[in-house]
Amino acid sequence: MPYDAGRLVVGCGNVLFKDDGFGPMVIHALEDYFKENNLEMPKDTQFIDAGTGATHFIFSMPDDNWKKVIVVDVVEWNAEPGTLKIFSPYDMPKGKYENAHTWPVEEPLHDLVDMGIEVVIVGCKPKEITAPDVDMGLTEPVEAAIPKAIEMILNEL
């Protein structure tokens, strides 16, 4: 499936490791939001559950149509679990934004910005990431952050 829309909303993370699954869970909640409210999906927009493959399979192979990429993921920073914040790729806490395989995500996002693509990150402070131990389901504060994350994403579209 090509990712050739003008705006991408990319949920990153691994649902097997507790709060690391925040990004994919928000993507599915967004899709449910449009269905339950009988709303049309925004034109020229794709919602993508990227799991742990976004860094190498999406961000490193941009399409000429991309104008904006909204990344949804957990981000470690000094805040209460479940706190949400919009980050730019340049204000991510150094060394705190990696995927489950410890690949830094900042560089491919910087490359997208250098190509003229607007990139924003909707980051959620996790309470618990259990990797390498499998424990599915979000913690209560991170689960409670999903409606606010949807609101933030809709404001960015």
Side-chain angles (χ1 to χ4, degrees):
M1 173 184 206
Y3 302 117
D4 57 359
R7 298 177 298 186
L8 303 180
V9 182
V10 183
C12 301
N14 191 329
V15 297
L16 298 177
F17 303 135
K18 210 70 170 169
D19 290 340
D20 195 43
F22 176 74
M25 297 296 279
V26 169
I27 295 301
H28 296 290
L30 260 170
E31 293 167 341
D32 291 345
Y33 170 84
F34 282 95
K35 286 179 191 168
E36 292 168 3
N37 292 293
N38 201 24
L39 298 171
E40 282 190 42
M41 299 286 275
K43 294 194 181 328
D44 201 25
T45 302
Q46 284 182 283
F47 297 142
I48 303 165
D49 172 355
T52 58
T55 308
H56 293 283
F57 300 110
I58 298 176
F59 300 149
S60 63
M61 295 185 283
D63 187 274
D64 290 341
N65 293 322
W66 293 7
K67 304 289 183 265
K68 185 169 191 171
V69 174
I70 301 169
V71 179
V72 185
D73 204 351
V74 288
V75 177
E76 286 287 351
W77 89 96
N78 188 19
E80 292 293 317
T83 303
L84 296 165
K85 181 178 176 181
I86 299 285
F87 293 92
S88 87
Y90 293 101
D91 62 12
M92 297 300 296
K94 293 288 182 206
K96 298 289 186 182
Y97 193 50
E98 300 176 336
N99 71 16
H101 302 285
T102 65
W103 291 324
V105 178
E106 294 100 343
E107 187 175 330
L109 295 179
H110 292 176
D111 291 345
L112 294 178
V113 172
D114 291 344
M115 297 170 62
I117 299 168
E118 183 182 3
V119 177
V120 296
I121 300 156
V122 176
C124 181
K125 168 72 175 187
K127 181 176 181 183
E128 182 179 7
I129 295 177
T130 60
D133 298 324
V134 173
D135 190 358
M136 297 178 73
L138 302 175
T139 61
E140 185 177 330
V142 172
E143 174 90 31
I146 289 176
K148 178 69 175 170
I150 289 172
E151 182 182 320
M152 292 169 78
I153 292 163
L154 294 176
N155 286 335
E156 288 290 331
L157 291 176

